[in-house]
Structure formats: C-alpha cells, structure tokens
Amino acid sequence: MPSRRFAVVCTALLLVLSGCAGEAPAEDSFPTVQFNESLTQDVTTEQIEDWSAQDLLPVAPAHGGAFETMTNALGAADPAPDVVIFGDSMTQQGVDPAELGQLLSEATGDDVSVFNGASSRARWGINRLLARYIVSLDELPSVALMGISTRAAERDDFYTSEGAKSPFSSMVEGCDRPASDAWGEADAARCERDVADPLFRFRTGGGQVVRAEEGQPAQTSLRIREGSRLRSDGFMIHPGVSAAEAEEISDTRMERGFPGFPTVHDEAVADFGEAADLLRSHGVTVLAFEIPYTPVHQANLEAEGRNYDARRQESAQALTDPHDVRLFPVDEFGSWWGDDHSRDAIHLAPEGATEFARQLTEIPGFLDEVQAGLAD
C-alpha cells in the first residue's frame, strides 16, 4: 500500500478554511492523465517497484480514472480524514466535503476534515471495495457517512463486471473469492498474476507510468474536461444549470422511459451490511443519510403515480434497518434550491453541494451523532 505523502499534509486544514464552492486545495494541479493505456515494453519490474515505493504510481490501475485518483488522494492524506463519505455520483457531486468539514469544525470546536469517497456508478460492491481499501491504510476515519440515493439499493453490476476485475481490486481484495457466474477460474488466475507480476498489474497503466518516469507523483486531482474536475478531497465538480433547464432535463428523462425509480435487491442489502460491518469492526462509526433528486425531478416521478417518494424512503430503510445503521432521511432539498444549484435533473453542482452540506448539519440529531463518532 502507498505511504501517506508529505505533499498533502496541509490539505485537510486548507479544505476546512475554504468556504467557496468549487475552490480547490492549494496542492491540486488537476492534471490530464491518459488511462487504459498499454504499458511500454521497455519498462522493467524493478522500475515499477521503485516508482511504487516512491509513491509515483497508484496501488494499481482501477476500474476508472476518477476512482483511482480518489483512492490515490485518500491514501496520500496525512493525517487521515476524520470523516469519509460513501455513495454514488449523486453523493460524489452532492456533498462538498470542504463545506461539511468547516461546519463540523464550527460545531465541535476542533478541526474536522472530511473526504468524499463516493464515486460514479457505484453501488455497495464498489463502496465495499473502498471500505476494504480504507481498513488497509495506516489510519482510519472516525466516521463513515453512507449517502443513499434513490437507486442506491440496486445490485452492483458495475462492481461485478468491472470493479472486481481491476488490478486495484486484486491488490485490495485478494484473489480467494467464492466462485460464481461473475468470478471464475480465469478471474482468479488473472487476479493472482496481478498480485505477483508488477508488469502485468500495470499492463493498462501506461499513462500513469509515463508520469512516474517524469518524476511526478500519482495524481490526487484530475481534470475531466473543460469545467469539470475532481478535487483532492474526492469532490467532483461540474458546471450548473438553471432550475428551468433542470426541469427540461427531467421532462426529457421521463419521456425517454428511464426516470430513476427505486428498486431493492438482496445483493445490495448484503453488500451494504458487509461494508458497514467491516468499518465498524475497525472502530468506525457508520451513519447514513439520504440524498434526493432535484425537486423538479421528484415532482415528475411522484406525478407518475407509482408512489415514488414512499418507495424511495422504503428502499433506504431496506438498506439500513437490517444492519442497525442510523438513517437521516431527507425528503427534499431546502428552499435554497434554484438556479445553478444542480448539474442536471439528479446531480447537484458545487453551489448546491455547499448548501446541501449545510442542510445535512441541520437535520435533528445529525451533528450529535457525528460528534459522538468523532469523540470515540
């Protein structure tokens, strides 16, 4: 596992002091990295091992560049964040960890650092992978906040098809896994080779290796495209739209027939429980909160006549209740929601993520539970 890097020692404090939506920590350079690039043939095993020891390479190529960058940043954080957020893209873009850290610091009287570990397309298989990575590090957070979106209770097909088969998963989760339709002898053999052979492990890490050859550390922030970037506290930034545009996007989504109704799968309930139990077994307090769609999209779904909101609440409880995880429901965004607060019909933009972080701290009992976890 990579050691914690001196270059980001001050990141947590800078995040706490930063109150501007979308503002980056001073260390963030937002490089453009080429992922899924073939490894050049003139690289040696010794070089890979040396660059890994110097923290010039990630643990291993992951199932996505943003996830890999986020885990690089989490592994590099020194000291470790006090709070880590789990979830999918709605949470990744919907909770500004700098703002939440500042609010928690004000409430507790101590510096509290927050890291957003949610990621695009993640259900609880991917989040369990993140939990396993976290417990492999030298230091653990005191509190884990599990963000539950409308579709969070679905099975994690993205994990079984891609995440579990990445070299990153091989290094973090090992290869001794129960045989299934998604994990067979060929998967186990590939996993074992990932672990044993550094050159094979980085077979698709050519872009990262080029950076290492140039003496650049593994990226902890990332430029996605113009106006879109991933900060070194895990927060994903995309530009916002007007409330009217968000409504138009919602209307189009409804017309296309994939509006986003909740579904509960047993696999998701089990995966959520495994992640929560793993973290709690290492002394981490686990809490959950809901993150809703935009008010205009929720209104469209409710008007569809399929008891959307009741089903959304029930799906969140289906994840948390069997595992005794305290859930903080969120019926809808506050009166703050409007122009430029959302990226589209379902994701927030930085201005909205700042406001939603504040809304979370105003839920009765939320601050008390987080503060109790920080004190343990």
Side-chain angles (χ1 to χ4, degrees), residues 202-285:
F202 281 90
R203 62 194 177 276
T204 60
Q208 296 92 316
V209 170
V210 167
R211 285 176 53 85
E213 287 181 299
E214 296 171 350
Q216 300 182 67
Q219 77 284 355
T220 56
S221 63
L222 190 67
R223 181 186 183 276
I224 309 298
R225 56 183 174 271
E226 187 65 31
S228 299
R229 57 200 189 276
L230 180 70
R231 286 191 331 212
S232 65
D233 60 359
F235 181 55
M236 180 71 79
I237 294 168
H238 293 295
V241 299
S242 69
E245 288 173 309
E247 186 169 12
E248 290 176 6
I249 294 169
S250 173
D251 292 344
T252 300
R253 193 179 180 93
M254 298 295 293
E255 291 168 3
R256 288 177 177 173
F258 49 93
F261 279 94
T263 301
V264 178
H265 293 133
D266 291 342
E267 299 97 319
V269 177
D271 289 346
F272 179 91
E274 285 188 34
D277 289 345
L278 176 63
L279 292 165
R280 288 189 293 205
S281 71
H282 286 79
V284 180
T285 295

